[in-house]
Amino acid sequence: MARAATSKKSSLDPLAQELAEAKLAESDLTLDDAQLLGIEPLSGQQAKVQLGVRPLAGLKITYFTPTGEPTGFWRYRFLEKGDSGFDALVQKDKSQRYTQAVGTLPAVYFARQMVDWPILLEDPDKPLIITEGELKAACACNRGFATMGLGGVWNWRGAKQGIAWLPDLDLPVWKQRQVYICFDSDFKQNPNVLAALEALATQLVNRGAYVYVTSLPEIPGLPKTGLDDFLVNESDEAFQAVLDMSEMHGLAEPLWDLNNRYTYIKDPGLILDHLSLVKVTPAAFTQHRESTSMYLEKFLQPNGGISHREVAAAQSWLKWPLRQEAQRLTYEPGQLQFVSANGATAFNIWPGWGVEPKAGDIEPFLKL
């Protein structure tokens, strides 16, 4: 008689299984979900032998590319206290909760098989959520909210490696995409998290995204609210309502409006009005032509509140990395507004034909 297959669950170390099930349940995930995601419960001995970390039970979280191949990067979530025993409790103190291989660059977590990442990352019409933590991201993806996970609020860069923007974060098309930064609710009381949120929002705005800051409501009985906490305790519709109430951060929309009207010409260093073809200097642009173009920019106060301040849109547009620009001016009848030659883009100031040709009888023209 054929031997019955042994399930993955039954082969787990009892302590590792108990702690893993409890931790996953906090994010509305199961051991089956963990297997789908490539998250593996390990005993303390397994963690020491396989990963070279402290011999404590926990979860090995493997990172995957958007197409589902392992990247070689992992993080280990300790679930056992240092004084381990069968009745060990999930850590509740401020001791180290995560570790990774020494010297490795942080990465972006894409929940495997829960989102069609290749299609979504290429489509800027689809919104993205960025949160802190792999299990939170997996929980949201499992509910239908496409969410990328960061290992920490600053883990969109590699400070030790001198990398200001992770290569993984170049995978999405950011231009004109709605992006929601959804960190834990206590960001309002944590200056470090607030600073990280501000810096990340600025990076995304500079890449053309419409960035929103999502402030999660407090859940009674919890010291703070994470994305998974909210989804577990509230409905998907309630979270969508929170997203809809998110505050827009930065000047992306006003900057795109100016992009639709103006182009910066590098040589000789002037701004061209698309409609009138009037050319003005940067000083005239900021101090006269668009001097009254003021917008209310939302920004985070040190206490986490949202305030507004007036910002000169023209000055911001001149400094914007995505401002519309061309190397020089040209005049080429019959060509498009932007023409390219020798790798440089030129703005074609040809205004178009004075009379558009139409099919019909040309006898009146011949008589004229």
Side-chain angles (χ1 to χ4, degrees), residues 144-167:
F145 299 97
T147 305
M148 301 191 306
L150 301 176
V153 295
W154 286 105
N155 280 19
W156 43 269
R157 64 181 189 178
K160 293 181 179 179
Q161 295 85 358
I163 296 177
W165 188 249
L166 294 182

Side-chain angles (χ1 to χ4, degrees), residues 150-333:
L150 301 176
V153 295
W154 286 105
N155 280 19
W156 43 269
R157 64 181 189 178
K160 293 181 179 179
Q161 295 85 358
I163 296 177
W165 188 249
L166 294 182
D168 289 350
L169 290 171
D170 282 328
L171 297 175
V173 175
W174 294 117
K175 290 183 181 180
Q176 296 181 283
R177 187 195 294 270
Q178 290 182 316
V179 182
Y180 298 85
I181 302 176
C182 186
F183 288 165
D184 292 353
S185 61
D186 66 342
F187 78 87
K188 301 175 182 179
Q189 292 81 42
N190 191 322
N192 180 59
V193 176
L194 194 66
L197 193 155
E198 286 273 14
L200 174 58
T202 298
Q203 290 279 357
L204 290 166
V205 168
N206 285 343
R207 286 163 173 79
Y210 300 140
V211 182
Y212 296 82
V213 177
T214 301
S215 183
L216 294 169
E218 299 293 343
I219 300 294
L222 296 179
K224 64 178 180 179
T225 305
L227 177 52
D228 51 354
D229 297 321
F230 189 86
L231 289 171
V232 168
N233 287 276
E234 302 289 343
S235 65
D236 295 353
E237 292 74 18
F239 180 59
Q240 184 61 58
V242 172
L243 291 178
D244 293 340
M245 292 187 294
S246 299
E247 293 279 357
M248 188 171 184
H249 188 280
L251 280 171
E253 284 188 310
L255 295 178
W256 281 107
D257 288 342
L258 289 177
N259 253 13
N260 291 331
R261 296 161 52 197
Y262 297 100
T263 294
Y264 180 78
I265 310 300
K266 291 184 175 181
D267 182 12
L270 50 81
I271 290 95
L272 179 74
D273 184 313
H274 297 174
L275 184 61
S276 66
L277 297 183
V278 169
K279 298 177 280 292
V280 297
T281 65
F285 178 71
T286 58
Q287 298 172 21
H288 300 286
R289 190 174 186 86
E290 291 293 337
S291 62
T292 59
S293 297
M294 305 296 292
Y295 296 87
L296 288 178
E297 180 186 19
K298 300 178 178 68
F299 71 99
L300 292 172
Q301 295 177 324
N303 63 1
I306 300 290
S307 293
H308 303 79
R309 59 187 168 206
E310 282 195 327
V311 174
Q315 191 66 43
S316 297
W317 180 80
L318 281 175
K319 299 177 181 177
W320 196 36
L322 290 176
R323 71 184 180 193
Q324 186 155 256
E325 59 183 37
Q327 185 64 35
R328 59 182 178 85
L329 295 173
T330 188
Y331 186 87
E332 299 188 28

Side-chain angles (χ1 to χ4, degrees), residues 78-96:
F78 294 109
L79 298 179
E80 193 178 3
K81 294 179 66 175
D83 54 343
S84 60
F86 186 82
D87 59 346
L89 300 175
V90 174
Q91 290 188 351
K92 297 183 181 299
D93 56 17
K94 294 296 184 180
S95 58
Q96 183 184 20

Side-chain angles (χ1 to χ4, degrees), residues 23-204:
K23 182 60 183 174
L24 291 166
E26 293 177 5
S27 300
D28 198 27
L29 299 170
T30 66
L31 286 174
D32 289 335
D33 292 326
Q35 189 170 3
L36 183 73
L37 292 163
I39 298 176
E40 183 181 3
L42 298 179
S43 67
Q45 183 61 23
Q46 289 173 323
K48 180 180 179 181
V49 172
Q50 294 183 29
L51 308 178
V53 302
R54 290 190 298 159
L56 299 173
L59 295 173
K60 179 191 177 186
I61 303 172
T62 298
Y63 278 53
F64 296 88
T65 67
T67 53
E69 292 81 27
T71 65
F73 178 80
W74 53 264
R75 290 215 309 157
Y76 188 67
R77 192 358 172 140
F78 294 109
L79 298 179
E80 193 178 3
K81 294 179 66 175
D83 54 343
S84 60
F86 186 82
D87 59 346
L89 300 175
V90 174
Q91 290 188 351
K92 297 183 181 299
D93 56 17
K94 294 296 184 180
S95 58
Q96 183 184 20
R97 295 185 300 166
Y98 287 90
T99 190
Q100 64 193 56
V102 177
T104 51
L105 181 70
V108 177
Y109 182 76
F110 299 99
R112 185 177 66 164
Q113 299 188 50
M114 288 188 170
V115 173
D116 191 344
W117 289 111
I119 291 178
L120 184 138
L121 296 179
E122 288 292 325
D123 187 354
D125 290 332
K126 298 185 183 300
L128 272 173
I129 300 170
I130 298 176
T131 195
E132 177 194 2
E134 300 90 351
L135 296 183
K136 295 170 187 175
C139 175
C141 288
N142 204 25
R143 297 291 190 92
F145 299 97
T147 305
M148 301 191 306
L150 301 176
V153 295
W154 286 105
N155 280 19
W156 43 269
R157 64 181 189 178
K160 293 181 179 179
Q161 295 85 358
I163 296 177
W165 188 249
L166 294 182
D168 289 350
L169 290 171
D170 282 328
L171 297 175
V173 175
W174 294 117
K175 290 183 181 180
Q176 296 181 283
R177 187 195 294 270
Q178 290 182 316
V179 182
Y180 298 85
I181 302 176
C182 186
F183 288 165
D184 292 353
S185 61
D186 66 342
F187 78 87
K188 301 175 182 179
Q189 292 81 42
N190 191 322
N192 180 59
V193 176
L194 194 66
L197 193 155
E198 286 273 14
L200 174 58
T202 298
Q203 290 279 357
L204 290 166

Side-chain angles (χ1 to χ4, degrees), residues 2-17:
R3 186 178 177 182
T6 302
S7 70
K8 177 75 173 177
K9 186 181 298 185
S10 64
S11 65
L12 294 178
D13 173 81
L15 174 59
Q17 177 175 328

